[in-house]
Amino acid sequence: MKLFRKMLIANRGEIAVRVIRACKELDIKTVAIFSDIERESLHVRFADEAVCIGPADSKYSYLNIPAILSAAELTDSEAIHPGYGFLSENPQFAEACATAGITFIGPSSESIGIGGDKAKVKQLLKKQGIPVIPGSDGPVESEGMAMKIAKRIGFPIIIKASSGGGGRGMRIVNRKQDLPQALQMAQGEALTLFGSSEAYIEKYLPSIRHIEIQILADDRGNVIHLGERDCTIQRRHQKLIEESPSPVATAKFRKKIGELAVRAARAIRYKNAGTIEFVVDHKQNVYFIEVNTRIQVEHPVTEELTGIDIVKEQLKIAAGYPLPYKQSQIELSGHAIECRINAEDPEKFVPFPGRIAFFLPPGGYGVRVDTAAYTGWTVPPHYDPMIAKLIVHGEDREDAIAIMRRALDEFIIEGIKTNIPFHKKVFSHPDFIKGYFNTNFVDKINPPNEK
Ligand code: ADP
């Protein structure tokens, strides 16, 4: 199967390496792009060609649409894979690729646009009968309107930026008197972070799990799901550990949430790989929260469980091939868990960039490490501090936890600080081992006043 002759990867770090690997196995030539401080990065070394597209500041490099498109044209690339972050959920970028006659590996710019407007997609799916968290119908326009909604749903509430992402642009409000200032601040933050002050309101649910469904959809109307990922272990609404199956999911629950996700994907005419995110309360009520219209950081968890290479599927779908599986052919085997290894101070959770004096990833049965780090590489301060993903696959949850503990013990990273000590703490915590946790777990084991 010859999918594409040459592909440009509009990203850096481990995801660029991940995509290059898939391309190599499919006999597709690869083009890396890099900012001028990343000449020595692994994605540059692994790609067949590499083009410097600007300075360290991602605004002028990894987010620079004209520079990336001219690199694609200069190297005669037929397709562009955006990875995650950067331009991956930018409808203008997908559109610009289409205009330039380059295949964008992902959904249409329309679907990206719908998914990127969190308030709008929520409203759209609510109309389709998908359960959503009570709150405003669309963006809140005024303080008066916010007050009215808060009165109806009751405090605490959460104000969310319509164009938010990555756990940013959210604000919890516990008391009526704090609402006016919180709304103003949330809208101001949204404008600075995402270029739009639009925000919406939801009831804040205090005890929930984050459970998401991996979707694959081709352009012939076939949509399937690859089971769930439980991403409840978060800090500041950012995921730290993901696993599948969820410790709380029964086969019946999986069928229900999987079908909801497929319905949601169909409702927005989704194509390619994507994720439908839900939160689930202690009574197993499921509420849609958002769509991620790209490959996700935690996709390897699902790959380990299903034996399906999601990046290769993305490329096949983009090249126009039909999905080779039916829903009934998807089997989940064993248990997979991923830890995000960040260059950060594990006590304070602040980034810790610098030169890695020694890097020795773990190996052995059931262990996969997706990384672009190596001994002597300098973690730049300009980008996301995640430097590796440690993924394990065991017979069952207990086995996966045992493999993860062993792998975390083996992982040697010297010269910088990482959150490996934090992960070790989680994997020996009795509640985590029993599967008893919600999104407040990290604050429980690392109370904010101790940081
Ligand atoms: P982002 O797009 O920034 O990732 P999400 O809407 O996906 O934001 O939410 C991220 C996380 O924030 C969720 O996984 C959940 O832990 C928390 N969260 C979101 N909405 C609510 C809510 N209404 N109540 C409680 N927690 C929430």
Side-chain angles (χ1 to χ4, degrees):
M1 187 186 287
K2 187 76 184 169
L3 298 173
F4 299 100
R5 196 176 22 79
K6 202 192 259 188
M7 173 153 9
L8 181 142
I9 295 95
N11 216 299
R12 60 175 297 280
E14 71 84 20
I15 193 63
V17 169
R18 167 73 187 89
V19 176
I20 291 169
R21 285 180 171 145
C23 289
K24 283 194 174 176
E25 288 165 18
L26 291 167
D27 198 23
I28 300 170
K29 291 268 174 267
T30 50
V31 179
I33 57 164
F34 61 101
S35 70
D36 60 11
I37 57 153
E38 291 224 282
R39 214 164 281 275
E40 301 299 324
S41 289
L42 211 56
H43 73 290
V44 174
R45 191 176 295 204
F46 282 0
D48 296 301
E49 292 170 62
V51 183
C52 181
I53 40 125
D57 183 346
S58 50
K59 200 159 66 185
Y60 304 106
S61 50
Y62 299 107
L63 290 171
N64 184 342
I65 297 179
I68 294 171
L69 285 179
S70 48
E73 277 161 22
L74 198 77
T75 54
D76 198 17
S77 299
E78 279 182 284
I80 294 185
H81 194 300
Y84 52 69
F86 295 125
L87 294 169
S88 61
E89 291 180 292
N90 182 318
Q92 286 84 32
F93 183 53
E95 188 66 48
C97 289
T99 310
I102 295 167
T103 305
F104 175 82
I105 309 295
S108 65
S109 61
E110 291 78 30
S111 291
I112 299 174
I114 296 170
D117 187 338
K118 292 169 62 171
K120 198 160 140 195
V121 73
K122 188 180 160 187
Q123 240 182 327
L124 191 151
L125 294 180
K126 186 181 167 190
K127 282 196 195 125
Q128 302 280 326
I130 308 274
V132 298
I133 303 173
S136 58
D137 277 327
V140 277
E141 256 109 51
S142 65
E143 192 186 308
M145 184 177 170
M147 272 301 180
K148 228 165 107 188
I149 294 155
K151 209 170 153 199
R152 174 166 56 82
I153 61 177
F155 286 92
I157 60 158
I158 182 165
I159 308 174
K160 294 176 158 186
S162 294
S163 331
R168 298 186 308 166
M170 277 184 272
R171 197 166 268 268
I172 299 161
V173 189
N174 290 305
R175 304 174 313 171
K176 187 178 159 196
Q177 58 266 44
D178 298 334
L179 181 56
Q181 203 197 354
L183 180 67
Q184 220 177 42
M185 286 175 79
Q187 289 173 330
E189 266 168 26
L191 185 65
T192 336
L193 288 171
F194 312 107
S196 155
S197 64
E198 205 178 275
Y200 63 107
I201 288 178
E202 265 175 8
K203 173 94 187 148
Y204 178 73
L205 306 175
S207 177
I208 49 160
R209 297 182 85 106
H210 173 117
I211 298 184
E212 61 187 30
I213 300 288
Q214 176 69 54
I215 290 289
L216 287 181
D218 63 20
D219 56 9
R220 305 171 191 214
N222 301 308
V223 186
I224 61 166
H225 73 84
L226 304 182
E228 79 280 6
R229 290 185 291 258
D230 189 318
C231 313
T232 300
I233 306 292
Q234 308 179 346
R235 196 184 129 78
R236 295 196 204 109
H237 309 303
Q238 287 173 0
K239 299 161 188 167
L240 288 166
I241 297 171
E242 302 96 347
E243 64 179 304
S244 186
S246 165
V248 297
T250 57
K252 196 173 150 203
F253 174 82
R254 181 168 306 115
K255 190 165 182 293
K256 175 178 125 180
I257 194 169
E259 283 172 4
L260 281 178
V262 168
R263 262 175 59 202
R266 284 193 191 284
I268 59 167
R269 298 216 194 99
Y270 199 80
K271 195 184 87 176
N272 214 286
T275 301
I276 315 292
E277 296 192 332
F278 299 91
V279 295
V280 179
D281 70 13
H282 59 287
K283 290 184 188 150
Q284 293 233 320
N285 291 311
V286 173
Y287 305 95
F288 163 84
I289 50 168
E290 71 162 336
V291 186
N292 284 138
T293 57
R294 53 167 162 83
I295 189 83
Q296 275 187 291
V297 172
E298 59 271 26
H299 75 276
V301 167
T302 303
E303 294 184 327
E304 294 303 312
L305 219 67
T306 56
I308 294 173
D309 183 320
I310 298 173
V311 175
K312 284 187 187 166
E313 290 307 324
Q314 284 194 293
L315 305 187
K316 289 183 210 162
I317 292 168
Y321 286 88
L323 282 179
Y325 325 93
K326 290 197 186 71
Q327 188 66 55
S328 57
Q329 291 170 298
I330 303 302
E331 277 175 30
L332 310 180
S333 125
H335 198 98
I337 314 181
E338 172 182 278
C339 286
R340 298 188 185 198
I341 311 296
N342 297 335
E344 68 181 23
D345 186 320
E347 299 299 317
K348 301 189 191 116
F349 283 98
V350 292
F352 200 101
R355 186 176 179 275
I356 300 179
F358 187 57
F359 187 83
L360 186 72
Y365 193 83
V367 176
R368 164 176 172 182
V369 179
D370 279 18
T371 185
Y374 59 88
T375 297
W377 179 63
T378 298
V379 182
H382 311 81
Y383 314 114
D384 192 278
M386 191 187 75
I387 54 164
K389 304 189 307 205
L390 169 56
I391 307 113
V392 300
H393 187 200
E395 273 175 28
D396 51 27
R397 192 166 188 270
E398 194 184 338
D399 188 37
I401 289 175
I403 300 173
M404 184 62 90
R405 289 168 75 159
R406 186 270 291 169
L408 286 166
D409 276 343
E410 278 179 19
F411 213 145
I412 305 175
I413 304 176
E414 287 172 358
I416 57 164
K417 286 188 182 182
T418 74
N419 61 351
I420 290 176
F422 161 80
H423 285 301
K424 286 184 177 167
K425 207 160 142 182
V426 174
F427 280 82
S428 58
H429 196 286
D431 288 348
F432 179 80
I433 292 167
K434 281 187 241 141
Y436 296 163
F437 49 83
N438 60 31
T439 49
N440 299 320
F441 178 80
V442 176
D443 278 342
K444 204 172 87 185
I445 67 164
N446 257 11
N449 56 8
E450 283 184 17
K451 280 162 219 155

